[in-house]
Amino acid sequence: MSRHRVLQAGRLMPELEASLAEQFDCHALWNEKDPRRFLAEQGAGFQALVTTSKNGADAALMDAMPNLKAITHFGVGYDTVDAAAAAKRGIALSNTPDVLNDCVADVAMGLLIDAARGLSASDRFVRRGDWLKGQFPLTTRVSGKKLGIAGLGRIGQAIAKRAQGFDMHIRYHSRKPVANVAFTHEPSLAALARWCDFLVVIVSGGPATRHLVSAEVIEALGPQGYLVNVSRGSVVDEAALVDALVHRRIAGAGLDVFEDEPRVPQALLALDNVVLLPHLASGTRETRKAMADLVLANLHSWFDHGRLVTPVPAAPPA
Ligand code: NAP
Ligand code: 8YV
């Protein structure tokens, strides 16, 4: 029996690439010298595409694959896939929700504590030999403080659960209040920023949330406030954030994501009031394996039963 043909848009973790090669007739688009020509000649031969947030899938790619029926996305945030174009063409789309909630929430709390208590900055202080010259400056308490969460979805709720262990007072912002949670919903993100000591951002990416954390929201956080972003770089007005950090109009930040990854604004590199991570929140062996397994499960389910295991919810009509 011939194996199902799958097109791989970009590089994946080696274990997933090996499984795809073993279980499917998988072709690496990223390895093609002239991908456009390859698609023109062979695009019709694929019913399934595997992609990531880095590579995405736009309408032109879908048009170049006239028999495409399913896109399986490695990662929960599928903002670089044109989901509306896929829906219009009847292409099913899956992502990898839930399996990464814990690891992303762990990193959000890690960034929050690091930004407030200066763990990375004081590590640099020790390594530079500065401890021999004097004490590290006092930092900011975390336990018992006010936490604002922008986006109380799957990961936002895992963050709230952890923050409760730190006796934090929690409120959140989203377009709709979440049923069955004990926290106060705040319809205005600026008002939430004014109220809280720490604002953690974990909304979905895409055009609807572009620069949701605006200059106004950053100013509302104020000189004692900290921003943590583990969602997407596009959600924060990065130029406004850099300016606020450089001029200490907010106390500090912890960032896992940036507007133009892997490029990080030069001005941030010299600052001790910001913790910079290379988009690693889900990056543990255990969680990435679970994400890879879900990609494979979605592909098998699609080819065997014509349905995905974790389809993304249908977008509301425009
Ligand atoms: P989710 O369960 O879908 O939650 C998304 C939350 O964002 C919901 O509370 C939603 O509430 C809110 N939201 C969406 N659009 C909004 C808007 N325009 N204004 C205000 N709130 C809005 O998603 P999740 O699984 O928790 O993941 C969240 C995001 O985290 C992903 O989409 C991804 O971009 C990011 N992520 C990053 C990493 C990393 O490595 N750093 C790892 C995993 C995920 P309403 O719909 O009610 O507004
Ligand atoms: C991954 C992520 O780093 O799931 C997401 O939305 O941002 C991360 O888990 C990324 O998707 C890997 O491509």
Side-chain angles (χ1 to χ4, degrees), residues 203-217:
V203 295
S204 349
T209 54
R210 185 178 147 71
H211 289 191
L212 183 71
V213 180
S214 59
E216 183 205 351
V217 170

Side-chain angles (χ1 to χ4, degrees), residues 24 110 196 203 225 269:
F24 299 94
C196 69
V203 295
L269 302 182

